[in-house]
Amino acid sequence: MQTTELDTVDLQILRLLQKDASLTNKEIAFELDKSVATVHERIRKLKEQGYIKKIVALLDRKKVNRGLIAFSQVLLNDHTAQTLATFEKEVSRFPEVMECFQMTGTFDFILRIATSDMDAYHDFYRNKLATLPNINTVQSFFVLSETKSITAYPI
């Protein structure tokens, strides 16, 4: 579906939903001084056009036993399309991997990994990540504290 230019109302709806996706259409309509039907239709179109990919709940990682966050940089042995695709496919299957980005620079990928503790990370590294083919180097960095963590894009 072709996307259209967003107007101020669409942008306001997106800002509100990024702050709190649990808002009802009625609450959004009240906030924007629009009808519930208008808000409902605009949200439907924003989803249809791909502006809203999904609506999720953000959990407290410590309360769900994912207190250790690691950022692991991965360098592969070769860079053929098949090797890159295989790595992406395999690493995506690991529930500990929260994000995987192909990068420019020295390393090929950076992963955000969430585990309960260092023992769980060690198990993940040894029994999952290190078993993948074509890995040359993995360099991991562990989060000591979290100063800023947001999911909303400035629009």
Side-chain angles (χ1 to χ4, degrees), residues 14-31:
L14 291 174
R15 284 186 196 107
L16 288 169
L17 288 174
Q18 283 193 109
K19 263 175 113 171
D20 184 359
S22 70
L23 291 172
T24 65
N25 289 345
K26 184 177 179 180
E27 290 169 323
I28 295 169
F30 178 78
E31 180 76 24

Side-chain angles (χ1 to χ4, degrees), residues 31-97:
E31 180 76 24
L32 302 180
D33 196 28
K34 301 290 178 194
S35 74
V36 174
T38 297
V39 167
H40 175 77
E41 182 59 20
R42 283 179 177 257
I43 290 174
R44 185 194 64 74
K45 283 183 181 175
L46 289 166
K47 287 178 181 177
E48 188 178 280
Q49 294 171 347
Y51 287 100
I52 298 172
K53 290 171 60 171
K54 61 177 136 176
I55 296 173
V56 300
L58 298 177
L59 307 181
D60 181 323
R61 66 182 171 84
K62 292 178 182 173
K63 289 188 180 193
V64 294
N65 199 24
R66 293 293 181 265
L68 183 70
I69 301 294
F71 288 91
S72 295
Q73 297 175 325
V74 179
L75 176 63
L76 300 179
N77 286 328
D78 71 72
H79 301 93
T80 65
Q82 182 178 352
T83 298
L84 296 170
T86 298
F87 177 81
E88 290 171 328
K89 179 183 173 197
E90 293 301 315
V91 83
S92 295
R93 295 180 2 185
F94 300 144
E96 297 89 349
V97 176

Side-chain angles (χ1 to χ4, degrees), residues 129-144:
L129 188 59
T131 66
L132 297 180
N134 295 308
I135 291 183
N136 180 319
T137 304
V138 175
Q139 187 173 29
S140 295
F141 303 89
F142 298 93
V143 173
L144 297 176

